[in-house]
Amino acid sequence: MTDDDPRSKAIVQWLTSAGLQDTDRQEMLQGYAERLADAGVPLRRFHLAQRAFHPKYGGTGFTWTRDGGVYHEYFEHSDTPRDEWLRSPFYYMLDQNVPEFRSRLEGPALDRFPVLAEFRKSGGTDYLSMILRFGDFIDAPFDPRRPGEGILSSWTTDARDGFSESDLNLIRQTYPHLGLAMRAASTQQMAKDLLQVYLGRDAGRRVMSGEITRGSSRQIDAVICYFDLKGFTQLAEQIPGTELIEMLNDYFGVAVATIQKFGGNILKFMGDGILTMFDLGSVTEDAHAALSAACELQRQIRQRNRERSADGLPIADFTLALHAGEILYGNIGSENRLDFTVIGPTVNQTARISGLHASVGRSIIVSEYVQKAAHPCPQDLVSLGRYMLRGVAEPIELFTIYDSEVDG
């Protein structure tokens, strides 16, 4: 590396500030690429990729172009590496433990790495890529299925003579600082993603904002929803464990997507059931959203069962109980193991209503509190009569949603 390039100071200072201010990764990379260009680097394209800590996505990528700015994409987990990845400069560098790779976009390199041929066709003349590994992965052997933490970056120019030594020096001097800023931003994003996946969208956001003290809670009016798969215990004795997990994930995927579509928060999974809360600002909004979700869920589960039957897969029905009232929402547990959840009589009563499905012969049960909060509503709610719940002094009227396939 040559002596420090005076142009690097301003870029390094900006990257430090961006990292300290929790700047969004896309905004950070936009600013970095533009500052390189403003410093005289004839940059046509800049790309950065890194591992994503997410149950669905294995990696994430950001690409800046001179004319289009930055766009962001995710790469789904795959048991079989894609051919374009195996034939990329990044894979070669990781496999051969080469931290930097440069190639003029001509000659044999275009045959070896198809992506370089694509850059050449679009006017590129020179290509540089570098890898910066983080933490325990700095000296770890390369695993193509788990490349570890770090960033993989490439720079492409369309200047006739390619990158100058001055250009390369500026990139090399600023790259470690980009890596440090990206690590800070990625750690923040990783925490948000994992908390939302494991705690739910609302609970994850609250924990990230600092609601982490044991006993901290707030009292709210909300609709509580219990979703449960019917006959799951019997199915568990009849089908292999791997098929059972696949089936559970399939139905849970439908249920979670539908509930979240209407603003519901997934609080926890309980065996073959899901505890959900609707808290959209008023109990009326909550009741309307919960009833809409129930109708859509009924339609989606029936459709999924038709698809599973056609594929020769086991099927299951579901039950749903909706109840409304005051709940306590917050941190409960011990000093070293907390759960962000809901408690209170309303939650307990919802569980007891859920236990009445066999008695009333309906899959969806709605309490009178939800019915009153939602009135008037587009759903046709039919009374099932009044029932006593354990621990409740007065009987409660229960309803179901009129179902043309059952009642018509």
Side-chain angles (χ1 to χ4, degrees), residues 13 20 57 66 70 98 114 155 170 204 209 236 253 259 284 327 332 341 368 385 395-396:
Q13 288 179 337
L20 291 173
Y57 305 110
R66 184 191 301 143
V70 175
V98 177
W155 298 257
L170 180 58
S209 68
I259 289 167
T284 297
I327 61 173
I332 299 164
T341 188
E368 63 181 70
I396 180 173

Side-chain angles (χ1 to χ4, degrees), residues 200-220:
R201 294 183 299 188
D202 185 67
R205 178 180 60 81
R206 292 180 181 279
V207 170
M208 278 296 293
S209 68
E211 293 186 37
I212 56 176
T213 305
R214 182 170 63 147
S216 63
S217 63
R218 61 191 182 100
Q219 186 168 291
I220 61 174

